[in-house]
Amino acid sequence: MPTENKVAAPLQMERSTVTKLVITGSPRLDPITVFLEDFGRRACPTESDLNYQTAQGKITINCWDNSWNAYWGAMGPRTVAEFVADCGWDYVLNCLDRGINPTVFSGNALHALAKKCIVQRRRQQTGRHDWELGELSKGEARELWHDIDVLRGIESANECWHHSTLLTELFGEEWYYPLDGKAVEENHKFTYLRRVVEAVQQALRQEQQQLAA
């Protein structure tokens, strides 16, 4: 039987407006390339306005060998440049890198916390702090002081479970509570991205002021 010739459906295309910015002169930052893409508006009916439309946009930021992007489907009447400039740096940062935290687990920070615990328990300062266990003898403190060197090599919070016996001797059976939020150090990726976001926002606000002048 002859095969039917199926006519392919026409491809759908949409145009968007893209603006490229190159930001230089930010302290301790390489040149930042920003792509601002506005996709126009989409219908977003509300109770008060069934014909309401909201703008959509995307931002892509490149700095050195790092790249981040975020899309917003409900920016109100603003362009993506106006939207990013109006938002707080923390909101924009989280949209660019979901779930990133200002601090990260650190084996060195855990080691420092363990030293603090030993010193305070040896000096009977437990009442001033949250350590579950009480006083340490001189011999116990010396032995623990030697043993805690292994904590420096721990690279993630999950690895702490491999050293639960030692951590129990230090902090008690529920050792994970004293560690929560304390065995951490600055997350340099977070700090770096914050400086990038703030530089981009400063440039966008500066551009808006120039256009308004």
Side-chain angles (χ1 to χ4, degrees):
M1 296 179 63
T3 58
E4 295 183 4
N5 294 323
K6 295 184 178 180
V7 179
L11 298 176
Q12 303 297 315
M13 294 180 292
E14 293 183 3
R15 290 182 179 272
S16 61
T17 302
V18 181
T19 301
K20 177 183 176 181
L21 303 175
V22 179
I23 303 168
T24 58
S26 297
R28 296 179 297 146
L29 286 175
D30 292 293
I32 304 169
T33 303
V34 182
F35 294 93
L36 303 161
E37 191 168 7
D38 289 290
F39 298 113
R41 300 193 177 191
R42 65 179 179 85
C44 187
T46 65
E47 290 184 5
S48 58
D49 186 357
L50 296 178
N51 296 317
Y52 180 75
Q53 293 185 330
T54 184
Q56 310 167 81
K58 178 181 178 180
I59 187 171
T60 301
I61 302 174
N62 299 318
C63 187
W64 187 235
D65 60 348
N66 296 287
S67 180
W68 308 269
N69 65 77
Y71 165 82
W72 293 280
M75 301 188 301
R78 294 167 291 185
T79 64
V80 66
E82 293 169 337
F83 181 81
V84 171
D86 288 344
C87 291
W89 67 264
D90 50 342
Y91 170 77
V92 177
L93 184 150
N94 184 62
C95 291
L96 293 169
D97 194 341
R98 299 283 183 184
I100 191 171
N101 293 310
T103 58
V104 291
F105 174 86
S106 164
N108 287 330
L110 175 57
H111 180 264
L113 187 66
K115 288 172 62 177
K116 179 180 178 181
C117 176
I118 293 171
V119 169
Q120 291 178 345
R121 288 179 58 194
R122 176 65 185 134
R123 293 177 178 173
Q124 303 181 42
Q125 295 178 330
T126 309
R128 294 171 46 194
H129 299 278
D130 298 327
W131 316 124
E132 178 183 337
L133 303 180
E135 178 186 356
L136 287 169
S137 69
K138 186 176 181 179
E140 290 171 333
R142 183 186 299 112
E143 184 176 349
L144 280 174
W145 195 270
H146 176 268
D147 291 344
I148 61 175
D149 279 344
V150 70
L151 301 179
R152 295 180 186 272
I154 299 178
E155 297 182 353
S156 70
N158 287 336
E159 288 184 27
C160 289
W161 292 96
H162 299 309
H163 304 274
S164 59
T165 300
L166 173 59
L167 295 175
T168 298
E169 293 177 5
L170 286 164
F171 305 111
E173 291 290 340
E174 297 182 333
W175 51 264
Y176 32 85
Y177 288 119
L179 266 58
D180 186 30
K182 295 180 181 178
V184 296
E185 63 183 16
E186 176 187 358
N187 184 350
H188 297 291
K189 291 183 178 180
F190 181 96
T191 304
Y192 178 72
L193 181 52
R194 174 176 178 173
R195 290 196 288 114
V196 170
V197 169
E198 290 181 326
V200 170
Q201 289 183 308
Q202 181 183 352
L204 293 176
R205 290 164 185 159
Q206 180 178 309
E207 183 184 47
Q208 289 177 11
Q209 292 172 355
Q210 292 173 347
L211 293 174

